[in-house]
Amino acid sequence: MAGSYDDRDGMIWMDGKLVPWRDANVHILTHALHYASSVFEGERAYNGVIFKSRAHSERLRASGEALDMPIPYTVDEIEAAKIEVLKANGLTDAYVRAVAWRGAGEDMGVSSAKNPVRMAVAAWGWGAYYGDAKMKGAKLDIAKWKRPSPETIPTHAKAAGLYMICTMSKHAAEAKGYSDAMFFDYRGYVAEATGANIFFVKDGEVHTPLPDCILNGITRQTVIGLLKDKQIKVHERHIEPGELEGFQQCWLTGTAAEVTPVGEIGSYNFEVGALTRDIAETYETLVRA
């Protein structure tokens, strides 16, 4: 299955039932299109099982609550919808996208309390997010935008509006020949990439930004658990830009990214070292277990 995402064969779960892929549409006056009243999850199925599926469904509902947009489906109902979509499309290894949004209704200003909260689940085959970076390491630009303060936006929610600067930063990075960009946060600390958390290695110990204004990714939490199982010290802390020079290895984590080594960030270079390769392999084994 390839080509434009709106012109494919298959089925998408939408508002409680499966509909043909090309018919899974919304009206142009959908509130989310105008005001970013939308939350989503990215998930991966391996051998027919969605990794950490329930945690994703729980976070989707929590993100909806954070945006004053209660999702009208229980975690169990969301879980059932995802399984239905995989089966309907004959997929075992796939990317799964669950999304909830304020639809069209009586409100078309900033307020949308009278508009229904709608939901959909789609799934498709999706390979390595960074192409061949798994072997040689991704190249990252440094974004000109900064991750916002939790006082300005609900940074703990996986909300569509938080990704606007991600798209802009990734476009700018790709135009320069990079595959992604790394953000600093509003205080100037190292934050994350456009769709992935970031980890660094120095002298056999791991350092990763404290998720106090960024999404505490499910893959991030999984990888921290794997490192601790291996008795590797993990420091979750604020990381100053000047520290980038001293780190020897770097990798990204995310559902789409999985564990992707980083070879360079701007003028800083990193080796795709033994620990990075080991954690990538351990994660790969875990998700297919």
Side-chain angles (χ1 to χ4, degrees):
M1 189 164 69
S4 176
Y5 275 93
D6 63 351
D7 186 20
R8 296 183 175 200
D9 296 327
M11 303 295 283
I12 290 175
W13 184 94
M14 203 167 179
D15 301 321
K17 64 181 189 290
L18 290 170
V19 299
W21 192 289
R22 293 174 182 86
D23 297 338
N25 300 317
V26 295
H27 194 271
I28 199 71
L29 295 183
T30 292
H31 191 270
L33 183 61
H34 299 256
Y35 298 102
S37 47
S38 169
V39 296
F40 71 98
E41 285 294 319
E43 312 174 33
R44 273 194 193 266
Y46 301 89
N47 303 327
V49 179
I50 300 169
F51 184 65
K52 298 280 176 90
S53 182
R54 201 165 184 91
H56 281 287
S57 296
E58 288 166 353
R59 188 172 67 182
L60 183 73
R61 284 185 50 85
S63 294
E65 293 290 340
L67 269 66
D68 191 29
M69 201 179 78
I71 294 169
Y73 297 97
T74 64
V75 169
D76 286 343
E77 287 169 333
I78 296 168
E79 288 295 288
K82 291 188 280 191
I83 292 163
E84 201 178 349
V85 167
L86 288 174
K87 281 184 180 163
N89 292 289
L91 294 166
T92 54
D93 283 54
Y95 181 82
V96 180
R97 170 62 54 88
V99 59
W101 68 96
R102 281 282 186 188
E106 293 176 49
D107 286 332
M108 201 46 226
V110 170
S111 174
S112 66
K114 294 176 187 163
N115 295 13
V117 177
R118 302 186 57 189
M119 191 185 145
V121 180
W124 60 88
W126 206 11
Y129 189 65
Y130 290 103
D132 61 1
K134 279 275 200 278
M135 280 67 75
K136 60 184 186 182
K139 290 170 59 180
L140 271 58
D141 188 19
I142 293 177
K144 74 171 186 177
W145 301 100
K146 292 206 162 55
R147 272 284 170 227
S149 158
E151 294 177 317
T152 64
I153 202 162
T155 55
H156 61 285
K158 196 166 173 71
L162 281 158
Y163 285 80
M164 183 180 72
I165 59 170
C166 299
T167 299
M168 294 156 70
S169 300
K170 188 149 175 146
H171 285 177
E174 288 172 344
K176 295 182 200 169
Y178 293 96
S179 53
D180 202 354
M182 185 195 78
F183 290 106
F184 293 121
D185 70 18
Y186 67 103
R187 299 159 297 197
Y189 297 129
V190 171
E192 60 183 346
T194 62
N197 292 116
I198 195 161
F199 289 76
F200 301 96
V201 179
K202 185 176 184 179
D203 302 332
E205 296 186 351
V206 174
H207 304 258
T208 190
L210 197 66
D212 58 358
C213 73
I214 57 174
L215 198 70
N216 183 11
I218 290 170
T219 311
R220 175 189 184 277
Q221 295 171 51
T222 302
V223 165
I224 288 172
L226 294 176
L227 289 162
K228 288 181 175 174
D229 289 346
K230 293 174 184 286
Q231 311 296 311
I232 292 161
K233 196 162 181 61
V234 180
H235 305 271
E236 294 185 68
R237 63 181 181 84
H238 293 144
I239 297 171
E240 301 273 359
E243 295 182 69
L244 291 171
E245 200 167 1
F247 294 131
Q248 293 131 358
Q249 299 175 48
C250 176
W251 70 76
L252 302 175
T253 64
T255 293
E258 297 170 298
V259 176
T260 296
V262 173
E264 55 187 89
I265 302 174
S267 61
Y268 303 102
N269 292 291
F270 307 92
E271 60 163 344
V272 181
L275 178 53
T276 302
R277 287 196 301 272
D278 178 53
I279 208 70
E281 285 164 18
T282 304
Y283 180 78
E284 183 73 16
T285 303
L286 173 68
V287 297
R288 295 187 177 279

